[in-house]
């Protein structure tokens, strides 16, 4: 029953906190409950948002459906707040470029960062400003610097924060370079995923400080990385599995199989595989394979040619090697493989899958990364001393 003394806004916030607690398996810590009440989520959303309907983004306008809009603001789900980097939508070509992240992931990150009053925090990816407002409520606005690459988003977030009495430093700039004038920070917290830890983040985080960021691998976007900054300027840490964020704009790579990778003059080698293709692109296996291969990505194509039901494409991020793994629809245990380039990518995928099975099918929590002073990234399983180069 709703407390009659609560406003609809307060009731919605409390309802969201209960839903998050159920999702996390424990109550949200009291300081973050207080921060959520002080920074209601709907206050940070634009009048037009987009919600997912079976993989298709559809607009939802406050002026047209205020009740639906408000319900989406407090649903246990992400909300897309910008599409196409803010450019006008052309037909059905709609893709998300900014969002209010899933509330459970936000609170899990806030807990993982171990933020305390008085700490200095560098926040990468202001976005709507919602989690920025909660962080400022927890540590004090004077201790918070937030960086947003999109000028319009930065201005809107600053205005929304100000309307609630929050005055952190919100800077429009490239999050890759951080913000040196406030350094050193006790914590660097990113709300956009990265494929490499920028050297500036490590340099601007004090020794024994923490960098917390979602991680993106070309093979799979999944994992929350918590790194401890060492006295020697390196950083080392482990993953937890619960995170999926948009990739930092300056680390995006937009490749097309047919426009950038495969050419008509290629003469691939043909072979046969019995490794189920979908087993390697999802779950713990995909996480492991991504960290073994590093610079390899994949995509699916339905009915690419007559006689082929679907095709799994695999390619290097530089476009020099590729593989195509076909299913003709008849034999579920046999796939035709075509490979081209200096690397035999499907052979590498099979080898990485065998490695994962041989090591007990480990989940993300057993993996980690070490970033050396020279920027070299090395991945490892269980023990940082037994690492391999992450290309």
């Amino acid at each position: 029953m709703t407390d009659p003394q609560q406003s609809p806004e307060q009731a919605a916030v409390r309802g969201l906190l209960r839903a998050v607690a159920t999702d996390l398996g424990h109550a949200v810590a009291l300081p973050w409950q207080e921060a959520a009440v002080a920074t209601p989520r709907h206050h940070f959303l634009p009048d037009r948002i987009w919600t997912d309907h079976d993989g298709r983004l559809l607009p939802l306008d406050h002026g047209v459906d205020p009740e639906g809009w408000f319900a989406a603001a407090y649903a246990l789900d992400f909300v897309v707040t910008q599409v196409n980097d803010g450019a006008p939508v052309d037909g059905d070509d709609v893709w998300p470029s900014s969002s209010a992240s899933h509330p459970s992931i936000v609170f899990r990150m806030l807990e993982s960062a171990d933020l305390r009053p008085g700490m200095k925090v560098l926040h990468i990816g202001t976005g709507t400003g919602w989690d920025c407002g909660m962080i400022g409520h927890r540590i004090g606005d004077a201790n918070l610097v937030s960086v947003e690459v999109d000028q319009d988003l930065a201005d809107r977030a600053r205005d929304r924060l100000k309307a609630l009495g929050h005055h952190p430093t919100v800077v429009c700039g490239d999050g890759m370079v951080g913000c040196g004038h406030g350094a050193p920070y006790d914590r660097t917290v990113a709300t956009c995923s990265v494929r490499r830890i920028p050297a500036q983040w490590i340099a601007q985080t004090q020794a024994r400080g923490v960098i917390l960021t979602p991680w993106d691998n070309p093979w799979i976007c999944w994992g929350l990385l918590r790194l401890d900054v060492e006295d020697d300027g390196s950083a080392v840490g482990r993953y937890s599995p619960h995170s999926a964020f948009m990739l930092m704009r300056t680390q995006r790579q937009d490749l097309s199989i047919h426009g950038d990778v495969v050419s008509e003059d290629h003469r691939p080698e043909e072979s046969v595989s019995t490794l189920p293709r979908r087993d390697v692109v999802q779950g713990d296996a995909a996480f492991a394979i991504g960290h073994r291969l590093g610079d390899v990505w994949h995509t699916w194509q339905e009915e690419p040619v007559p006689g082929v039901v679907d095709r799994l494409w695999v390619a290097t991020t530089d476009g020099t090697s590729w593989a195509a793994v076909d299913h003709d629809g008849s034999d579920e245990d046999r796939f035709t493989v075509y490979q081209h380039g200096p690397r035999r990518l499907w052979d590498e995928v099979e080898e990485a899958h065998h490695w994962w099975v041989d090591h007990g099918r480990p989940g993300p929590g057993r993996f980690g990364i070490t970033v050396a002073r020279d920027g070299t990234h090395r991945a490892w399983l269980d023990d940082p001393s037994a690492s391999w180069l992450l290309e």
Side-chain angles (χ1 to χ4, degrees), residues 320-332:
T320 59
S321 297
W322 59 264
V325 189
D326 291 353
H327 180 217
D328 65 8
S330 59
D331 190 339
E332 295 294 335

Side-chain angles (χ1 to χ4, degrees), residues 219 257 261-262 280-281 293 296-300 311-317 321-325 338-340 344-346 348-349:
W219 195 259
I257 283 290
V261 178
V262 179
V280 304
V281 297
L293 302 185
V296 178
W297 59 288
H298 64 83
T299 188
W300 290 92
R311 172 177 289 168
L312 173 63
W313 287 101
V314 180
T316 53
T317 55
S321 297
W322 59 264
V325 189
Y338 302 92
Q339 301 186 88
H340 173 82
R344 292 299 178 260
L345 292 185
W346 189 249
E348 292 185 22
V349 169

Side-chain angles (χ1 to χ4, degrees), residues 20-276:
V20 169
T22 299
D23 204 23
L24 296 180
H26 62 267
V28 175
L30 182 58
W32 295 119
Q33 292 187 40
E34 295 171 346
V37 171
T39 53
R41 192 182 190 222
H42 78 278
H43 178 81
F44 294 90
L45 300 184
D47 288 339
R48 167 168 284 194
I49 59 178
W50 287 260
T51 56
D52 184 87
H53 297 263
D54 296 326
R56 184 183 180 193
L57 290 178
L58 298 179
L60 179 58
D61 293 307
H62 180 270
V64 175
D65 183 4
E67 292 184 358
W69 182 93
F70 189 79
Y74 289 99
L76 195 64
D77 202 356
F78 72 93
V79 176
V80 174
T81 55
Q82 185 196 67
V83 297
N84 300 15
D85 286 341
V89 174
D90 182 15
D92 294 329
D93 183 20
V94 180
W95 45 272
S97 54
S98 188
S99 69
S101 302
H102 193 294
S104 296
I105 294 177
V106 170
F107 285 103
R108 184 178 280 113
M109 287 189 67
L110 295 174
E111 292 179 354
S112 298
D114 189 25
L115 303 176
R116 298 185 294 277
M119 279 186 168
K120 294 175 65 178
V121 173
L122 173 62
H123 177 247
I124 307 296
T126 313
T128 65
W130 181 49
D131 53 340
C132 181
M134 290 194 287
I135 291 172
H137 185 274
R138 174 66 172 146
I139 67 171
D141 287 341
N143 299 315
L144 175 60
V145 176
S146 185
V147 182
E148 170 57 52
V149 70
D150 187 299
Q151 184 69 63
D152 185 51
L153 293 179
D155 292 342
R156 291 184 183 184
R158 190 184 297 110
D159 290 343
R160 291 178 182 123
L161 289 162
K162 183 178 179 181
L164 290 179
H166 293 288
H167 301 278
T169 299
V170 178
V171 178
C172 180
D174 183 359
M176 283 279 290
V177 301
C179 188
H181 79 258
Y185 301 95
D186 299 287
R187 299 286 187 270
T188 294
V189 179
T191 55
C192 52
S193 60
V194 295
R195 291 181 175 175
R196 288 292 183 269
I197 303 299
Q200 292 91 335
W201 292 8
I202 299 176
Q204 294 170 18
T205 305
Q206 68 177 5
R208 292 173 293 281
V210 171
I211 297 172
L212 184 70
T213 181
W215 184 261
D216 182 284
N217 182 277
W219 195 259
I220 184 172
C221 177
W222 190 31
L224 181 64
L225 183 61
R226 189 182 192 273
L227 296 166
D228 295 313
V229 176
E230 305 292 324
D231 292 330
D232 64 359
S234 63
V236 58
R238 292 179 178 271
Y239 289 96
S240 60
H242 308 288
S243 175
F245 283 73
M246 294 179 189
L247 182 64
M248 179 177 282
R249 291 189 187 184
T250 51
Q251 291 195 5
R252 289 177 185 169
Q253 187 171 27
D254 187 17
L255 288 177
S256 167
I257 283 290
H258 297 291
D260 304 306
V261 178
V262 179
S263 174
E264 291 184 0
D265 62 352
H266 290 172
R267 297 294 179 264
E269 294 181 2
E270 182 177 345
S271 60
V272 173
S273 175
T274 58
L275 176 62

